[in-house]
């Protein structure tokens, strides 16, 4: 090998070896969580780990006015199954349950507090990674309510890095009831604010829940 070729080879080898010996650094932990959008529409699937039931719904989310509307989607082949529309009005502490076919309505007092789809400022950063394969990857961050004095999390949220859209939220309540909700096809804004207005049948609403089975 000529001196010139030897010099080129040594220079190239010196450039490659550091790249091989030093792996790509991990994501630096962010100083604070991102801010999730206040209004969006999309779809969700909630999985109840106890019953094994998946509930699919169209979602209209309005954090500015603390209200959520869920329209259950009929994806089952069950011959006798009811599907409902739910309108949560947290400022009024009222939940409307509307049977989609008959428009029968129940008006229930909301006892739970407003819990927005966002990352609380005091959350614990867990991880950052990509969802999907090469060419279609989406970068997300994972946060939780884990604290040093507690071993397990009661809430874990996965949100996109770019626009802070929710991807998945998992709740564990009373150490036994666990639900995981996935979000997709999200769009900013509310296309029709009237979806939060109960139908006229709710003027004579019943005060108790309606069953899912016919």
């Amino acid at each position: 090998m000529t001196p010139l070729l030897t010099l080129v080879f040594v220079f190239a080898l010196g450039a490659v070896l550091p790249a091989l010996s030093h792996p790509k650094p991990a994501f630096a932990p962010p100083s604070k969580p991102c801010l999730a959008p206040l209004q969006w529409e999309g779809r969700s699937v909630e999985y109840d780990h106890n019953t094994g039931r998946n509930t699919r719904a169209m979602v209209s989310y309005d954090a500015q006015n603390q209200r959520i509307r869920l329209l259950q989607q009929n994806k089952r082949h069950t011959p006798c199954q009811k599907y409902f529309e739910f309108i949560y009005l947290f400022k009024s502490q009222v939940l409307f349950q509307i049977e989609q076919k008959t428009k029968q309505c129940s008006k229930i007092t909301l006892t739970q507090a407003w819990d927005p789809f966002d990352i609380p400022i005091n959350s614990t950063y867990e991880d950052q990674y990509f969802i999907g394969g090469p060419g279609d990857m989406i970068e997300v961050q994972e946060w939780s309510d884990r604290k040093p004095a507690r071993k397990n999390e009661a809430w874990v949220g996965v949100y996109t890095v770019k626009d802070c859209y929710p991807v998945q939220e998992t709740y564990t309540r009373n150490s036994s009831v666990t639900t995981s909700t996935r979000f997709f096809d999200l769009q900013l804004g509310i296309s029709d604010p009237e979806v939060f207005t109960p139908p006229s049948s709710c003027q004579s609403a019943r005060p108790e829940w309606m069953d899912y089975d016919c």
Side-chain angles (χ1 to χ4, degrees):
M1 184 180 293
T2 65
L4 179 59
L5 291 177
T6 302
L7 180 62
V8 171
F9 176 76
V10 171
F11 177 79
L13 185 62
V16 171
L17 284 178
L20 295 177
S21 58
H22 297 285
K24 184 178 178 180
F27 294 107
S31 59
K32 59 182 180 180
C34 59
L35 297 176
L38 295 178
Q39 292 182 328
W40 51 261
E41 294 178 323
R43 296 196 290 155
S44 69
V45 178
E46 181 184 273
Y47 176 69
D48 188 313
H49 293 248
N50 291 336
T51 64
R53 171 180 289 181
N54 281 298
T55 302
R56 302 175 183 272
M58 299 292 295
V59 185
S60 297
Y61 171 76
D62 180 10
Q64 291 180 347
N65 299 290
Q66 296 186 5
R67 54 189 186 177
I68 300 174
R69 183 253 196 171
L70 300 177
L71 183 65
Q72 289 185 332
Q73 294 182 286
N74 187 346
K75 295 292 184 180
R76 291 171 173 259
H77 299 286
T78 308
C80 194
Q81 175 78 34
K82 293 180 181 178
Y83 293 89
F84 296 97
E85 174 185 3
F86 297 93
I87 301 176
Y88 295 81
L89 304 177
F90 284 88
K91 285 187 175 181
S92 303
Q93 295 184 314
V94 172
L95 162 63
F96 292 96
Q97 179 195 25
I98 303 109
E99 206 277 315
Q100 293 184 25
K101 288 185 178 180
T102 64
K103 298 302 178 183
Q104 290 182 337
C105 181
S106 291
K107 183 179 179 181
I108 312 296
T109 300
L110 272 176
T111 57
Q112 69 263 42
W114 166 251
D115 186 10
F117 293 126
D118 66 0
I119 309 171
I121 193 64
N122 61 346
S123 298
T124 298
Y125 171 77
E126 297 289 354
D127 201 358
Q128 183 167 326
Y129 46 85
F130 290 97
I131 296 176
D136 62 357
M137 296 186 296
I138 298 176
E139 193 173 5
V140 299
Q141 287 180 351
E142 185 176 299
W143 297 77
S144 77
D145 64 351
R146 178 176 58 86
K147 298 294 183 287
R150 186 172 60 237
K151 196 171 184 179
N152 298 320
E153 307 92 347
W155 169 83
V156 177
V158 180
Y159 283 73
T160 62
V161 171
K162 183 177 182 293
D163 295 309
C164 207
Y165 281 116
V167 175
Q168 180 168 320
E169 286 203 344
T170 300
Y171 280 93
T172 302
R173 297 179 176 88
N174 302 324
S175 301
S176 60
V177 180
T178 302
T179 58
S180 297
T181 305
R182 294 180 287 116
F183 304 92
F184 44 94
D185 293 343
L186 302 191
Q187 299 288 335
L188 274 180
I190 303 297
S191 59
D192 182 12
E194 292 300 316
V195 298
F196 298 105
T197 302
S200 58
S201 59
C202 289
Q203 294 178 1
S204 56
R206 63 182 71 184
E208 68 276 350
W209 283 95
M210 286 182 278
D211 294 331
Y212 281 84
D213 297 325
C214 298

